[in-house]
Amino acid sequence: MDEEPERAKRWEGGYERTWEVLKEDESGSLKATVEDILFQSKRKRVIESHGQVRLGMMRHLFVVVDTSRTMDDQDLKPNRLTSSLKLLEFFVDEYFDQNPISQIGFITTKNKRADKLTELAGNPKKHITALKKTVDTTCVGEPSLYNAMNLAMQTLKHMPGHTSREILIIMSSLTTCDPANIYELIKTLKDLKIRVSVIGLSAEVRVCTFITRETGGTYNVILDESHFRELLMLHVKPPPASSSSECSLIRMGFPQHIVSSMSDKDAKPSFSMAHLETSGGGPELTLGGYYCPQCRAKYTELPVECKVCGLTLVSAPHLARSFHHLFPLDAFQESPLEEHTGDRFCQACQGELKDQSVFTCPVCRSVFCVECDLFIHDTLHCCPTCIHNQGTS
């Protein structure tokens, strides 16, 4: 086993006078310093969001939620479990907004066991409903990282090579009780190119550091609830596509939504293939739905992989919204406001440029403020002025 690289701990560093960052202006106000701190935090987000890196379009992610006895701790209000599940509900919505043709699943671990809460699926409502029900679960025993990762691996290893395989662990406990050698499982995960990331709710655990380092994931420990939310949002954006990932043509079907009514003489109620493996309530007979163009199997939601012929079924808007991950928008050029000689207003929000820096589109030379630059790169994924110019030309 490789030794962990030496890294200075926080308490081993020198004495820092953190309060000296705050400086009063001539009138005795701290407003200028606070605004500068806020600007630097926004600028950091701008730098992180930039970069011409090809990202994966199709993701398969399992989120492992620790439901051991430590999740009853009340350092997050009302307790760790409730706070985590609320944030995960928000995460699911954001995940499918940015990754509409991807899938996500949830696993819980407690009492040295791991159970699958939801299968990999592309329906956010299904996952949010399951998370709401998990709030009432009893937190007992110790988690098992081995069982949780092994359970996720059994599904992820069958996913096609052109998709990303990921596991995100929300870890509250400082211990794990495993039935076998976890380091052998880590080696298997690495060979299968399954990326494991961990968000710790207590403190850094060495085995988690080793897992993330070996599989190429990230490991962070939260400071508070707002920081927890920020760390979760980092996993909304797809990871960079591996240079060794398979590049191949993918067969996809684009089924139309066929609507039928009871007044239609030819309408026949039928089961959805997606409901065959659901345990709660059983499948229902419905009219209409999405029909696979290859085998005519019926589904009530997209995206989904046809259980009969294996064809990936998506809608055209889903595919279009994922396209920007392959060709990310170029980073805008940052320059000091004092050096800007043109109009002192943002081309997007039309507000006055007041920040220390402005951001210029390298194509159309339009100038934007830091807030609009973030919005353009994180949400729009295209320069509004460039699009306007294309429409008028």
Side-chain angles (χ1 to χ4, degrees):
M1 185 180 67
D2 296 335
E3 286 299 318
E4 184 181 351
E6 287 296 324
R7 180 159 55 92
K9 301 298 182 185
R10 184 75 175 175
W11 59 84
E12 295 174 346
Y15 183 63
E16 297 179 15
R17 296 174 178 269
T18 53
W19 57 88
E20 290 183 353
V21 175
L22 299 174
K23 295 180 181 178
E24 297 179 353
D25 57 16
E26 296 173 355
S27 62
S29 173
L30 296 173
K31 184 179 179 182
T33 305
V34 173
E35 287 179 350
D36 182 60
I37 293 171
L38 291 174
F39 173 77
Q40 293 300 332
S41 67
K42 291 174 186 174
R43 187 174 177 277
K44 182 182 177 184
R45 284 174 58 203
V46 168
I47 294 170
E48 288 174 350
S49 67
H50 288 169
Q52 280 294 92
V53 180
R54 185 167 65 96
L55 305 178
M57 279 179 66
M58 299 179 70
R59 304 172 65 188
H60 292 96
L61 170 68
F62 263 115
V63 180
V64 177
V65 183
D66 179 1
T67 53
S68 63
R69 60 174 175 266
T70 57
M71 287 296 268
D72 276 333
D73 290 355
Q74 297 181 357
D75 45 1
L76 298 176
K77 300 301 177 185
N79 59 27
R80 288 182 180 179
L81 179 66
T82 306
S83 176
S84 299
L85 294 175
K86 284 288 184 187
L87 290 175
L88 284 171
E89 288 177 30
F90 178 74
F91 172 76
V92 168
D93 281 331
E94 291 294 313
Y95 177 86
F96 283 110
D97 183 62
Q98 292 289 325
N99 311 273
I101 60 174
S102 298
Q103 296 185 343
I104 194 173
F106 285 88
I107 292 172
T108 58
T109 174
K110 64 179 180 181
N111 244 357
K112 311 177 186 68
R113 297 180 61 183
D115 299 297
K116 201 173 284 185
L117 189 64
T118 59
E119 293 282 351
L120 280 177
N123 182 4
K125 292 180 183 177
K126 172 184 174 183
H127 299 299
I128 291 173
T129 302
L131 289 171
K132 288 182 184 295
K133 292 178 180 177
T134 312
V135 173
D136 300 324
T137 192
T138 306
C139 300
V140 292
E142 287 182 284
S144 174
L145 280 178
Y146 184 98
N147 287 334
M149 292 192 298
N150 187 52
L151 184 60
M153 185 189 71
Q154 298 308 318
T155 302
L156 291 175
K157 69 181 181 181
H158 298 296
M159 296 299 113
H162 58 263
T163 67
S164 70
R165 307 164 186 172
E166 305 166 56
I167 301 173
L168 173 61
I169 303 172
I170 310 298
M171 187 73 174
S172 170
S173 177
L174 294 175
T175 60
T176 173
C177 188
D178 301 323
N181 187 351
I182 195 170
Y183 292 103
E184 291 180 3
L185 178 65
I186 294 169
K187 187 177 183 301
T188 306
L189 291 169
K190 184 179 179 180
D191 293 339
L192 291 171
K193 295 182 174 61
I194 297 176
R195 186 176 187 263
V196 184
S197 297
V198 181
I199 296 178
L201 306 188
S202 299
E204 186 175 334
V205 181
R206 191 188 184 285
V207 70
C208 293
T209 305
F210 186 80
I211 293 169
T212 54
R213 192 174 76 241
E214 289 297 302
T215 60
T218 59
Y219 184 24
N220 300 97
V221 178
I222 69 166
L223 301 174
D224 50 33
E225 191 167 343
S226 61
H227 187 228
F228 189 3
R229 184 189 179 113
E230 286 177 23
L231 294 177
L232 272 177
M233 291 305 104
L234 292 178
H235 295 277
V236 167
K237 197 173 181 179
S242 171
S243 58
S244 60
S245 61
E246 297 177 15
C247 295
S248 58
L249 293 174
I250 307 165
R251 285 174 56 84
M252 284 190 174
F254 297 90
Q256 291 184 331
H257 189 236
I258 299 173
V259 181
S260 303
S261 62
M262 292 302 292
S263 59
D264 189 352
K265 294 181 180 179
D266 296 329
K268 296 178 181 177
S270 57
F271 292 113
S272 166
M273 295 298 293
H275 292 157
L276 293 181
E277 59 186 27
T278 56
S279 55
E284 297 178 358
L285 285 167
T286 56
L287 291 169
Y290 297 97
Y291 291 87
C292 174
Q294 188 162 274
C295 68
R296 304 303 294 168
K298 174 182 158 183
Y299 296 90
T300 55
E301 64 191 36
L302 296 177
V304 69
E305 183 177 308
C306 182
K307 298 186 183 304
V308 178
C309 63
L311 188 66
T312 302
L313 305 178
V314 298
S315 67
H318 284 159
L319 199 59
R321 281 169 53 201
S322 302
F323 187 69
H324 65 264
H325 293 314
L326 286 180
F327 303 99
L329 182 65
D330 286 336
F332 290 173
Q333 298 164 356
E334 183 181 359
S335 58
L337 180 60
E338 294 78 16
E339 296 179 7
H340 178 60
T341 55
D343 295 328
R344 293 288 181 109
F345 65 89
C346 172
Q347 289 285 351
C349 65
Q350 300 296 306
E352 183 183 354
L353 295 171
K354 298 179 180 179
D355 292 319
Q356 302 170 8
S357 300
V358 294
F359 300 85
T360 308
C361 174
V363 179
C364 65
R365 308 307 298 173
S366 297
V367 178
F368 302 95
C369 64
V370 64
E371 291 284 359
C372 290
D373 182 45
L374 276 171
F375 178 71
I376 288 169
H377 282 88
D378 290 349
T379 306
L380 283 184
H381 306 291
C382 60
C383 172
T385 312
C386 290
I387 298 298
H388 177 72
N389 293 340
Q390 290 174 11
T392 56
S393 59

